[in-house]
Amino acid sequence: MSLLQQVKMVIIEYTHLAKDALHIYVALAIMLGACFAFGWKVRQWRPWLLVLAVALAGEYWDWLENRSVGRTPDYDGHCKDVWNTMLVPTILLLAARYTAIFDKAPPASEEAPPPRENRSGDEAQVPGPAAGG
């Protein structure tokens, strides 16, 4: 068993998570960690592509390891793992790009002024032309 498989088994045993759930958490950690570390935004393609690259690399590694010990490849299982890994990052990407749920609320100073009847009535004084000019 490779070091990667040993680490996965320790994490599964320690966290009591199913292997499928672990894919989801790792995908979120990679996506949000990349946004934090590199200053990327969730609405950009780069964090999503990084998650996809890591997911494909991990599945390729699993495939190679299974092949090296003579196991029949589980293509359906690999596809399911990629699906589980990419579903939440895809939802986050689409929500950030095509909805306003991740938009920041404007600071209080940028909000629209109150209606005219609620103002104090004081108007700014604008100096007129200089005398004798």
Side-chain angles (χ1 to χ4, degrees):
M1 184 180 298
S2 73
L3 178 61
L4 176 66
Q5 294 299 329
Q6 291 174 359
V7 168
K8 287 192 326 190
M9 296 310 286
V10 167
I11 291 171
I12 289 168
E13 185 176 322
Y14 178 73
T15 62
H16 302 289
L17 289 172
K19 186 175 168 247
D20 292 339
L22 188 60
H23 281 266
I24 296 166
Y25 286 117
V26 169
L28 285 172
I30 291 169
M31 185 171 199
L32 298 177
C35 289
F36 179 75
F38 303 121
W40 295 344
K41 304 295 182 202
V42 173
R43 69 179 172 270
Q44 296 174 318
W45 286 101
R46 287 179 285 187
W48 187 89
L49 288 171
L50 178 63
V51 175
L52 179 61
V54 171
L56 293 174
E59 290 309 310
Y60 181 67
W61 190 329
D62 285 347
W63 178 79
L64 284 176
E65 184 169 313
N66 286 336
R67 197 174 123 208
S68 71
V69 295
R71 286 191 210 131
T72 304
D74 180 15
Y75 295 113
D76 289 341
H78 294 301
C79 289
K80 184 184 88 165
D81 287 347
V82 173
W83 168 261
N84 278 335
T85 304
M86 294 309 300
L87 181 62
V88 175
T90 301
I91 291 169
L92 289 175
L93 171 70
L94 294 174
R97 288 180 73 89
Y98 300 111
T99 71
I101 63 172
F102 290 112
D103 290 348
K104 290 171 91 174
S109 63
E110 292 182 18
E111 291 180 9
R116 185 122 179 104
E117 61 271 7
N118 291 342
R119 292 189 190 170
S120 67
D122 294 337
E123 297 294 327
Q125 296 295 320
V126 179

